[in-house]
Amino acid sequence: MNNKRITVFRKEHFNAAHRLNNPAWSVERNKAVFGLCNNDNFHGHNYELIVQVSGEIDPETGYLIDLKILSDLIKEEVLNRFDHKNLNLDTQEFKHLNPTAENIAVVIYDLIRAKLDERYTLKIRLYETERNFVEYPTEW
Amino acid sequence: MNNKRITVFRKEHFNAAHRLNNPAWSVERNKAVFGLCNNDNFHGHNYELIVQVSGEIDPETGYLIDLKILSDLIKEEVLNRFDHKNLNLDTQEFKHLNPTAENIAVVIYDLIRAKLDERYTLKIRLYETERNFVEYPTEW
Amino acid sequence: MNNKRITVFRKEHFNAAHRLNNPAWSVERNKAVFGLCNNDNFHGHNYELIVQVSGEIDPETGYLIDLKILSDLIKEEVLNRFDHKNLNLDTQEFKHLNPTAENIAVVIYDLIRAKLDERYTLKIRLYETERNFVEYPTEW
Amino acid sequence: MNNKRITVFRKEHFNAAHRLNNPAWSVERNKAVFGLCNNDNFHGHNYELIVQVSGEIDPETGYLIDLKILSDLIKEEVLNRFDHKNLNLDTQEFKHLNPTAENIAVVIYDLIRAKLDERYTLKIRLYETERNFVEYPTEW
Amino acid sequence: MNNKRITVFRKEHFNAAHRLNNPAWSVERNKAVFGLCNNDNFHGHNYELIVQVSGEIDPETGYLIDLKILSDLIKEEVLNRFDHKNLNLDTQEFKHLNPTAENIAVVIYDLIRAKLDERYTLKIRLYETERNFVEYPTEW
Amino acid sequence: MNNKRITVFRKEHFNAAHRLNNPAWSVERNKAVFGLCNNDNFHGHNYELIVQVSGEIDPETGYLIDLKILSDLIKEEVLNRFDHKNLNLDTQEFKHLNPTAENIAVVIYDLIRAKLDERYTLKIRLYETERNFVEYPTEW
């Protein structure tokens, strides 16, 4: 553990429709693997997103990062893209990628990582429901 | 307040896609009134449902109602109909009724009321998100 | 609705073991009605208790009731009796009364009602789990 | 219970400093009654506010009230006045009124009631902490 | 941090009675160390269990692991053993092991680890109450 | 991951007023950087604190650490200092240190670390609001 480093968390949320499906598979196999999540006409979730940034505290401000700036970045890169959208039909990112919680977390990581100063380390936690959630990347 | 009566609550949840739209209106008016919720390709929610039943305690069991029976009733009447569905496309109830939280709560009330013993009084609370929710009917 | 009245809520919790059983019934009937809750050696819960008091604001303090006094009353009358206890074996109240959530709520109401100034109205909400809870008494 | 009426809830929050004190009392009596809440230099809370509106569903929209409009009204009347403020020093409303949770709820009720269409009934729930909260007005 | 690895979380719960006691100690020492948790007739909890699995995403499904399979495994190995049971009297695992949250977490880890494909890494978080919880194993 | 080590968490809370300000800066720069958090007369929060301790289980007790002892330590070192206080005016620790969530977490870490047996590793999580929180130190 690095006693100089701190992590800051910012929680946001978005609502979206999605459907799990692998177009390379038969209808039967998709139903067998994805069950109700394969429903033709989509279903949806309230996604809770926790963006985690680590680094060293700026001694002038006492901040790791200004959470207003981080929150604005999340809005621009993630919420504007995915909130109140159909992930399969309305987004470039999931046109050819199955929108599982795992894949959504990786996509969000890549979107924020591209805009976040390289002195920060980044981790994404995404709740698809209160009982099913993912974290990416993981150190263990 | 009737000191002989008690209320029992059972919480369940379901995930669904929906879209708010009034077909009698123009595209512009629908966008103006329903905003992002009018998105053509739907969006979705994790709906938290609290079914509230009131009446008098059965002295033999100490129960108002067996929550296993109530939970099974909710599964049959509500979850099997709406969970992992597109409310607009996959259900009879919302083919011609706008699936707002208000209307979903009234529909759920009617579905359960029809199957619940008339000695019980019924109320529905439905969370569309943590910050937006409804209760039906209301005594005030 | 009485525009002069306000309700104040105080949340407390206690942990207890219990078993649901009707001694007038056969073993088979108890198993059939109470299922896993009839387990011979007990099971247990973290009970969340919300004590709700209504009345008129005292203009001198701006309080309905001093929550320190209400909290102390709950500790004396409820937590000291039931916290970290076996409701069936360690308490007078449930020696001959089935400790369902309904009956526990009524018992807690009676215990607090006996000590609460009569100018206040009282209501009890008790969570047995996050998904199963009761409120007593109820006005509908 | 009026089967035609529904309640809609909107949750918002604000952060504020405050101090409980009755200027008509001695220092000693204020310390005795208000304890730590009487601290000279203030303390503070994250206030969670739930605005509850009841009435009949508009058949054209399926809404009781457009939650965007309700949320904007709360921001203008409540959050802009109280968020990140010292209630005792920075607001007109609590210059001569003790900012207990009870009094804050009544003040918020009056602020929103003055701007809300009279066809709606209004109720306020205010959480000072997760364990201490109030609701105004109350029908019991 | 390994940028190829992701963690998936599945939350379940069970209710159980238990008692903390070391049979090698005197009654007095047990009371002194375990306090109310040493109550002869047991007390109980709603245990919230979060099973955390890490590894690499399967590119065919977009899943790390099918949560239906993980949930079934938790039910078979953990819930069927401990839900609505007295941990001290009704289970093999805690006949000779003190059922502290720490020991319960280690036992659950071992039960799931034995059935989980070795390509996955496993961690257990167990909430005994909202305010007391444990995680095992830990990397720091 | 060290399969012999476990983490135990204890959640506490305190309420405090604070103001973010860098006295070396102009009024304008403080307003620009800290925004509403720079309000002259302070604002406040309900801080949720999770103290995380890791180490090896004591085989005699089945505890990592007696949570009663840990809770008492947190009360003495943290709650008695900061609860119902103005962090800027009433405490030594923040007389010359900006009371951001980051700095408060570091101060709490140092206060508890000084009193905690060196065989334990320590981490602090501090929620300023439900959506903004920090953890210190961090291993990534």
Side-chain angles (χ1 to χ4, degrees), chain F residues 68-103:
Chain F
K68 179 74 174 62
I69 292 172
L70 180 61
S71 177
D72 286 347
L73 174 58
I74 301 169
K75 284 193 185 69
E76 282 161 33
E77 295 303 315
V78 182
L79 306 194
N80 289 351
R81 260 188 182 81
F82 300 146
D83 189 29
H84 283 78
K85 295 288 173 58
N86 183 310
L87 298 179
N88 305 66
L89 300 183
D90 295 333
T91 77
Q92 286 301 323
E93 289 77 9
F94 299 104
K95 278 235 152 43
H96 307 293
L97 181 67
N98 207 11
T100 59
E102 290 90 332
N103 281 337

mmCIF file of all heavy atoms in Angstrom, chain F residues 68-103:
data_model
loop_
_atom_site.group_PDB
_atom_site.id
_atom_site.type_symbol
_atom_site.label_atom_id
_atom_site.label_comp_id
_atom_site.label_asym_id
_atom_site.label_seq_id
_atom_site.Cartn_x
_atom_site.Cartn_y
_atom_site.Cartn_z
ATOM 1 N N LYS F 68 -15.934 -3.715 19.500
ATOM 2 C CA LYS F 68 -16.260 -2.795 20.600
ATOM 3 C C LYS F 68 -15.035 -1.908 20.903
ATOM 4 O O LYS F 68 -15.171 -0.687 21.080
ATOM 5 C CB LYS F 68 -16.674 -3.607 21.836
ATOM 6 C CG LYS F 68 -17.011 -2.794 23.072
ATOM 7 C CD LYS F 68 -18.351 -2.122 22.928
ATOM 8 C CE LYS F 68 -18.768 -1.414 24.230
ATOM 9 N NZ LYS F 68 -17.848 -0.331 24.626
ATOM 10 N N ILE F 69 -13.878 -2.520 20.914
ATOM 11 C CA ILE F 69 -12.635 -1.764 21.167
ATOM 12 C C ILE F 69 -12.358 -0.803 20.004
ATOM 13 O O ILE F 69 -12.004 0.360 20.215
ATOM 14 C CB ILE F 69 -11.463 -2.742 21.383
ATOM 15 C CG1 ILE F 69 -11.676 -3.502 22.704
ATOM 16 C CG2 ILE F 69 -10.114 -2.013 21.370
ATOM 17 C CD1 ILE F 69 -10.693 -4.639 22.939
ATOM 18 N N LEU F 70 -12.552 -1.281 18.776
ATOM 19 C CA LEU F 70 -12.326 -0.416 17.617
ATOM 20 C C LEU F 70 -13.314 0.749 17.621
ATOM 21 O O LEU F 70 -12.943 1.901 17.385
ATOM 22 C CB LEU F 70 -12.454 -1.230 16.320
ATOM 23 C CG LEU F 70 -12.227 -0.431 15.035
ATOM 24 C CD1 LEU F 70 -10.832 0.170 14.972
ATOM 25 C CD2 LEU F 70 -12.473 -1.301 13.798
ATOM 26 N N SER F 71 -14.572 0.448 17.925
ATOM 27 C CA SER F 71 -15.593 1.498 17.942
ATOM 28 C C SER F 71 -15.280 2.539 19.031
ATOM 29 O O SER F 71 -15.410 3.751 18.799
ATOM 30 C CB SER F 71 -16.959 0.847 18.172
ATOM 31 O OG SER F 71 -17.961 1.816 18.275
ATOM 32 N N ASP F 72 -14.854 2.081 20.200
ATOM 33 C CA ASP F 72 -14.488 3.023 21.269
ATOM 34 C C ASP F 72 -13.301 3.904 20.850
ATOM 35 O O ASP F 72 -13.278 5.109 21.136
ATOM 36 C CB ASP F 72 -14.118 2.263 22.550
ATOM 37 C CG ASP F 72 -15.346 1.681 23.245
ATOM 38 O OD1 ASP F 72 -16.480 2.071 22.884
ATOM 39 O OD2 ASP F 72 -15.172 0.827 24.128
ATOM 40 N N LEU F 73 -12.345 3.296 20.164
ATOM 41 C CA LEU F 73 -11.179 4.052 19.690
ATOM 42 C C LEU F 73 -11.599 5.133 18.697
ATOM 43 O O LEU F 73 -11.118 6.284 18.751
ATOM 44 C CB LEU F 73 -10.185 3.069 19.047
ATOM 45 C CG LEU F 73 -8.959 3.645 18.349
ATOM 46 C CD1 LEU F 73 -8.125 4.486 19.294
ATOM 47 C CD2 LEU F 73 -8.108 2.505 17.772
ATOM 48 N N ILE F 74 -12.515 4.788 17.792
ATOM 49 C CA ILE F 74 -13.000 5.778 16.819
ATOM 50 C C ILE F 74 -13.735 6.904 17.553
ATOM 51 O O ILE F 74 -13.566 8.083 17.227
ATOM 52 C CB ILE F 74 -13.945 5.115 15.779
ATOM 53 C CG1 ILE F 74 -13.215 3.994 15.024
ATOM 54 C CG2 ILE F 74 -14.476 6.150 14.801
ATOM 55 C CD1 ILE F 74 -14.134 3.111 14.177
ATOM 56 N N LYS F 75 -14.538 6.549 18.530
ATOM 57 C CA LYS F 75 -15.262 7.590 19.281
ATOM 58 C C LYS F 75 -14.277 8.545 19.958
ATOM 59 O O LYS F 75 -14.430 9.763 19.869
ATOM 60 C CB LYS F 75 -16.193 6.957 20.323
ATOM 61 C CG LYS F 75 -17.452 6.382 19.715
ATOM 62 C CD LYS F 75 -18.503 6.033 20.761
ATOM 63 C CE LYS F 75 -19.698 5.344 20.085
ATOM 64 N NZ LYS F 75 -19.373 3.980 19.566
ATOM 65 N N GLU F 76 -13.273 7.987 20.631
ATOM 66 C CA GLU F 76 -12.324 8.834 21.364
ATOM 67 C C GLU F 76 -11.490 9.706 20.433
ATOM 68 O O GLU F 76 -11.287 10.896 20.690
ATOM 69 C CB GLU F 76 -11.354 7.967 22.186
ATOM 70 C CG GLU F 76 -11.967 7.427 23.468
ATOM 71 C CD GLU F 76 -11.181 6.236 24.000
ATOM 72 O OE1 GLU F 76 -9.942 6.213 23.827
ATOM 73 O OE2 GLU F 76 -11.810 5.306 24.539
ATOM 74 N N GLU F 77 -10.987 9.104 19.365
ATOM 75 C CA GLU F 77 -10.034 9.833 18.529
ATOM 76 C C GLU F 77 -10.694 10.699 17.463
ATOM 77 O O GLU F 77 -10.159 11.740 17.080
ATOM 78 C CB GLU F 77 -9.067 8.839 17.856
ATOM 79 C CG GLU F 77 -8.176 8.098 18.822
ATOM 80 C CD GLU F 77 -7.345 9.049 19.686
ATOM 81 O OE1 GLU F 77 -6.787 10.018 19.125
ATOM 82 O OE2 GLU F 77 -7.274 8.836 20.918
ATOM 83 N N VAL F 78 -11.868 10.280 16.975
ATOM 84 C CA VAL F 78 -12.473 10.987 15.840
ATOM 85 C C VAL F 78 -13.776 11.688 16.227
ATOM 86 O O VAL F 78 -13.914 12.900 16.066
ATOM 87 C CB VAL F 78 -12.721 10.021 14.654
ATOM 88 C CG1 VAL F 78 -13.311 10.774 13.466
ATOM 89 C CG2 VAL F 78 -11.435 9.306 14.268
ATOM 90 N N LEU F 79 -14.758 10.930 16.730
ATOM 91 C CA LEU F 79 -16.077 11.532 16.950
ATOM 92 C C LEU F 79 -16.018 12.621 18.025
ATOM 93 O O LEU F 79 -16.606 13.695 17.853
ATOM 94 C CB LEU F 79 -17.112 10.462 17.309
ATOM 95 C CG LEU F 79 -17.241 9.282 16.336
ATOM 96 C CD1 LEU F 79 -18.507 8.489 16.609
ATOM 97 C CD2 LEU F 79 -17.197 9.719 14.882
ATOM 98 N N ASN F 80 -15.321 12.356 19.123
ATOM 99 C CA ASN F 80 -15.235 13.396 20.161
ATOM 100 C C ASN F 80 -14.562 14.672 19.655
ATOM 101 O O ASN F 80 -14.840 15.759 20.147
ATOM 102 C CB ASN F 80 -14.480 12.865 21.386
ATOM 103 C CG ASN F 80 -15.306 11.841 22.149
ATOM 104 O OD1 ASN F 80 -16.489 11.649 21.868
ATOM 105 N ND2 ASN F 80 -14.679 11.177 23.106
ATOM 106 N N ARG F 81 -13.665 14.527 18.700
ATOM 107 C CA ARG F 81 -12.985 15.713 18.134
ATOM 108 C C ARG F 81 -13.859 16.465 17.136
ATOM 109 O O ARG F 81 -13.841 17.689 17.089
ATOM 110 C CB ARG F 81 -11.740 15.250 17.365
ATOM 111 C CG ARG F 81 -10.434 15.387 18.096
ATOM 112 C CD ARG F 81 -9.284 15.082 17.149
ATOM 113 N NE ARG F 81 -8.016 15.152 17.846
ATOM 114 C CZ ARG F 81 -7.513 14.187 18.606
ATOM 115 N NH1 ARG F 81 -8.183 13.055 18.779
ATOM 116 N NH2 ARG F 81 -6.339 14.341 19.196
ATOM 117 N N PHE F 82 -14.579 15.730 16.273
ATOM 118 C CA PHE F 82 -15.167 16.371 15.088
ATOM 119 C C PHE F 82 -16.702 16.419 15.076
ATOM 120 O O PHE F 82 -17.284 17.201 14.320
ATOM 121 C CB PHE F 82 -14.695 15.661 13.816
ATOM 122 C CG PHE F 82 -13.203 15.680 13.625
ATOM 123 C CD1 PHE F 82 -12.541 14.604 13.025
ATOM 124 C CD2 PHE F 82 -12.442 16.772 14.041
ATOM 125 C CE1 PHE F 82 -11.164 14.622 12.840
ATOM 126 C CE2 PHE F 82 -11.054 16.797 13.859
ATOM 127 C CZ PHE F 82 -10.424 15.723 13.268
ATOM 128 N N ASP F 83 -17.375 15.567 15.874
ATOM 129 C CA ASP F 83 -18.839 15.497 15.773
ATOM 130 C C ASP F 83 -19.492 16.773 16.307
ATOM 131 O O ASP F 83 -19.173 17.235 17.408
ATOM 132 C CB ASP F 83 -19.359 14.295 16.566
ATOM 133 C CG ASP F 83 -20.845 14.059 16.309
ATOM 134 O OD1 ASP F 83 -21.319 14.396 15.215
ATOM 135 O OD2 ASP F 83 -21.519 13.533 17.207
ATOM 136 N N HIS F 84 -20.422 17.325 15.511
ATOM 137 C CA HIS F 84 -21.134 18.561 15.889
ATOM 138 C C HIS F 84 -20.171 19.719 16.129
ATOM 139 O O HIS F 84 -20.388 20.552 17.001
ATOM 140 C CB HIS F 84 -22.048 18.329 17.111
ATOM 141 C CG HIS F 84 -23.315 17.613 16.758
ATOM 142 N ND1 HIS F 84 -23.365 16.258 16.544
ATOM 143 C CD2 HIS F 84 -24.576 18.076 16.546
ATOM 144 C CE1 HIS F 84 -24.605 15.907 16.246
ATOM 145 N NE2 HIS F 84 -25.358 16.990 16.224
ATOM 146 N N LYS F 85 -19.103 19.759 15.319
ATOM 147 C CA LYS F 85 -18.128 20.849 15.410
ATOM 148 C C LYS F 85 -18.039 21.599 14.085
ATOM 149 O O LYS F 85 -18.489 21.109 13.045
ATOM 150 C CB LYS F 85 -16.732 20.269 15.739
ATOM 151 C CG LYS F 85 -16.643 19.608 17.103
ATOM 152 C CD LYS F 85 -16.666 20.596 18.244
ATOM 153 C CE LYS F 85 -16.756 19.901 19.597
ATOM 154 N NZ LYS F 85 -15.650 18.959 19.847
ATOM 155 N N ASN F 86 -17.420 22.766 14.177
ATOM 156 C CA ASN F 86 -17.010 23.502 12.992
ATOM 157 C C ASN F 86 -15.549 23.134 12.756
ATOM 158 O O ASN F 86 -14.686 23.491 13.581
ATOM 159 C CB ASN F 86 -17.176 25.001 13.232
ATOM 160 C CG ASN F 86 -16.834 25.829 12.013
ATOM 161 O OD1 ASN F 86 -15.768 25.625 11.419
ATOM 162 N ND2 ASN F 86 -17.701 26.751 11.627
ATOM 163 N N LEU F 87 -15.269 22.416 11.685
ATOM 164 C CA LEU F 87 -13.900 21.888 11.503
ATOM 165 C C LEU F 87 -12.880 23.022 11.435
ATOM 166 O O LEU F 87 -11.795 22.920 12.003
ATOM 167 C CB LEU F 87 -13.832 21.017 10.241
ATOM 168 C CG LEU F 87 -14.721 19.767 10.268
ATOM 169 C CD1 LEU F 87 -14.585 18.997 8.945
ATOM 170 C CD2 LEU F 87 -14.360 18.844 11.430
ATOM 171 N N ASN F 88 -13.223 24.120 10.763
ATOM 172 C CA ASN F 88 -12.266 25.224 10.616
ATOM 173 C C ASN F 88 -12.006 25.959 11.921
ATOM 174 O O ASN F 88 -10.865 26.348 12.208
ATOM 175 C CB ASN F 88 -12.779 26.254 9.589
ATOM 176 C CG ASN F 88 -13.100 25.649 8.239
ATOM 177 O OD1 ASN F 88 -14.031 24.849 8.134
ATOM 178 N ND2 ASN F 88 -12.339 25.999 7.212
ATOM 179 N N LEU F 89 -13.055 26.162 12.725
ATOM 180 C CA LEU F 89 -12.918 27.023 13.915
ATOM 181 C C LEU F 89 -12.700 26.257 15.204
ATOM 182 O O LEU F 89 -12.060 26.767 16.125
ATOM 183 C CB LEU F 89 -14.180 27.888 14.079
ATOM 184 C CG LEU F 89 -14.537 28.833 12.937
ATOM 185 C CD1 LEU F 89 -15.770 29.652 13.317
ATOM 186 C CD2 LEU F 89 -13.366 29.759 12.610
ATOM 187 N N ASP F 90 -13.255 25.027 15.297
ATOM 188 C CA ASP F 90 -13.267 24.343 16.593
ATOM 189 C C ASP F 90 -12.191 23.277 16.742
ATOM 190 O O ASP F 90 -12.152 22.601 17.775
ATOM 191 C CB ASP F 90 -14.635 23.643 16.804
ATOM 192 C CG ASP F 90 -15.806 24.614 16.904
ATOM 193 O OD1 ASP F 90 -15.589 25.761 17.318
ATOM 194 O OD2 ASP F 90 -16.944 24.212 16.573
ATOM 195 N N THR F 91 -11.371 23.025 15.718
ATOM 196 C CA THR F 91 -10.403 21.925 15.805
ATOM 197 C C THR F 91 -8.990 22.427 15.544
ATOM 198 O O THR F 91 -8.781 23.354 14.755
ATOM 199 C CB THR F 91 -10.717 20.809 14.777
ATOM 200 O OG1 THR F 91 -10.283 21.235 13.478
ATOM 201 C CG2 THR F 91 -12.201 20.456 14.745
ATOM 202 N N GLN F 92 -8.031 21.793 16.217
ATOM 203 C CA GLN F 92 -6.616 22.078 15.963
ATOM 204 C C GLN F 92 -6.210 21.602 14.574
ATOM 205 O O GLN F 92 -5.418 22.245 13.881
ATOM 206 C CB GLN F 92 -5.731 21.344 16.995
ATOM 207 C CG GLN F 92 -5.769 21.960 18.375
ATOM 208 C CD GLN F 92 -5.323 23.411 18.379
ATOM 209 O OE1 GLN F 92 -4.413 23.795 17.637
ATOM 210 N NE2 GLN F 92 -5.983 24.239 19.172
ATOM 211 N N GLU F 93 -6.738 20.438 14.186
ATOM 212 C CA GLU F 93 -6.255 19.760 12.984
ATOM 213 C C GLU F 93 -6.487 20.580 11.715
ATOM 214 O O GLU F 93 -5.703 20.482 10.760
ATOM 215 C CB GLU F 93 -6.959 18.398 12.845
ATOM 216 C CG GLU F 93 -6.517 17.360 13.864
ATOM 217 C CD GLU F 93 -7.100 17.551 15.272
ATOM 218 O OE1 GLU F 93 -8.000 18.408 15.439
ATOM 219 O OE2 GLU F 93 -6.651 16.864 16.188
ATOM 220 N N PHE F 94 -7.581 21.351 11.670
ATOM 221 C CA PHE F 94 -7.906 22.067 10.432
ATOM 222 C C PHE F 94 -7.778 23.577 10.581
ATOM 223 O O PHE F 94 -8.314 24.324 9.777
ATOM 224 C CB PHE F 94 -9.303 21.649 9.939
ATOM 225 C CG PHE F 94 -9.373 20.185 9.642
ATOM 226 C CD1 PHE F 94 -10.000 19.306 10.516
ATOM 227 C CD2 PHE F 94 -8.742 19.661 8.521
ATOM 228 C CE1 PHE F 94 -10.027 17.943 10.268
ATOM 229 C CE2 PHE F 94 -8.763 18.299 8.257
ATOM 230 C CZ PHE F 94 -9.408 17.438 9.144
ATOM 231 N N LYS F 95 -7.058 24.004 11.586
ATOM 232 C CA LYS F 95 -6.794 25.447 11.722
ATOM 233 C C LYS F 95 -5.975 25.938 10.529
ATOM 234 O O LYS F 95 -6.193 27.034 10.022
ATOM 235 C CB LYS F 95 -6.029 25.736 13.023
ATOM 236 C CG LYS F 95 -6.905 25.819 14.256
ATOM 237 C CD LYS F 95 -6.720 27.130 15.017
ATOM 238 C CE LYS F 95 -7.942 27.559 15.789
ATOM 239 N NZ LYS F 95 -8.638 26.494 16.515
ATOM 240 N N HIS F 96 -5.022 25.101 10.086
ATOM 241 C CA HIS F 96 -4.158 25.512 8.978
ATOM 242 C C HIS F 96 -4.155 24.485 7.848
ATOM 243 O O HIS F 96 -3.186 24.404 7.081
ATOM 244 C CB HIS F 96 -2.733 25.749 9.489
ATOM 245 C CG HIS F 96 -2.692 26.695 10.642
ATOM 246 N ND1 HIS F 96 -3.016 28.030 10.517
ATOM 247 C CD2 HIS F 96 -2.414 26.487 11.952
ATOM 248 C CE1 HIS F 96 -2.930 28.614 11.716
ATOM 249 N NE2 HIS F 96 -2.573 27.702 12.596
ATOM 250 N N LEU F 97 -5.203 23.690 7.779
ATOM 251 C CA LEU F 97 -5.295 22.656 6.729
ATOM 252 C C LEU F 97 -6.713 22.708 6.172
ATOM 253 O O LEU F 97 -7.684 22.687 6.932
ATOM 254 C CB LEU F 97 -5.016 21.280 7.345
ATOM 255 C CG LEU F 97 -5.049 20.082 6.396
ATOM 256 C CD1 LEU F 97 -3.895 20.143 5.399
ATOM 257 C CD2 LEU F 97 -4.989 18.773 7.187
ATOM 258 N N ASN F 98 -6.837 22.777 4.855
ATOM 259 C CA ASN F 98 -8.143 22.891 4.220
ATOM 260 C C ASN F 98 -8.951 21.609 4.461
ATOM 261 O O ASN F 98 -8.484 20.520 4.124
ATOM 262 C CB ASN F 98 -7.942 23.133 2.715
ATOM 263 C CG ASN F 98 -9.096 23.880 2.076
ATOM 264 O OD1 ASN F 98 -9.968 24.408 2.766
ATOM 265 N ND2 ASN F 98 -9.099 23.925 0.756
ATOM 266 N N PRO F 99 -10.161 21.682 5.048
ATOM 267 C CA PRO F 99 -10.898 20.465 5.400
ATOM 268 C C PRO F 99 -11.644 19.834 4.225
ATOM 269 O O PRO F 99 -12.862 19.640 4.277
ATOM 270 C CB PRO F 99 -11.853 20.941 6.495
ATOM 271 C CG PRO F 99 -12.079 22.384 6.194
ATOM 272 C CD PRO F 99 -10.815 22.904 5.574
ATOM 273 N N THR F 100 -10.914 19.516 3.151
ATOM 274 C CA THR F 100 -11.483 18.711 2.065
ATOM 275 C C THR F 100 -11.680 17.287 2.577
ATOM 276 O O THR F 100 -11.056 16.874 3.562
ATOM 277 C CB THR F 100 -10.525 18.661 0.866
ATOM 278 O OG1 THR F 100 -9.277 18.101 1.309
ATOM 279 C CG2 THR F 100 -10.270 20.046 0.285
ATOM 280 N N ALA F 101 -12.509 16.512 1.875
ATOM 281 C CA ALA F 101 -12.689 15.102 2.247
ATOM 282 C C ALA F 101 -11.348 14.372 2.236
ATOM 283 O O ALA F 101 -11.071 13.535 3.098
ATOM 284 C CB ALA F 101 -13.671 14.435 1.287
ATOM 285 N N GLU F 102 -10.486 14.716 1.272
ATOM 286 C CA GLU F 102 -9.176 14.074 1.193
ATOM 287 C C GLU F 102 -8.364 14.346 2.461
ATOM 288 O O GLU F 102 -7.817 13.422 3.074
ATOM 289 C CB GLU F 102 -8.384 14.603 -0.024
ATOM 290 C CG GLU F 102 -8.902 14.166 -1.386
ATOM 291 C CD GLU F 102 -9.943 15.103 -1.986
ATOM 292 O OE1 GLU F 102 -10.672 15.787 -1.209
ATOM 293 O OE2 GLU F 102 -10.031 15.167 -3.227
ATOM 294 N N ASN F 103 -8.286 15.609 2.856
ATOM 295 C CA ASN F 103 -7.491 15.941 4.035
ATOM 296 C C ASN F 103 -8.108 15.394 5.325
ATOM 297 O O ASN F 103 -7.387 14.968 6.231
ATOM 298 C CB ASN F 103 -7.293 17.459 4.134
ATOM 299 C CG ASN F 103 -6.207 17.958 3.192
ATOM 300 O OD1 ASN F 103 -5.313 17.193 2.778
ATOM 301 N ND2 ASN F 103 -6.269 19.232 2.829
#
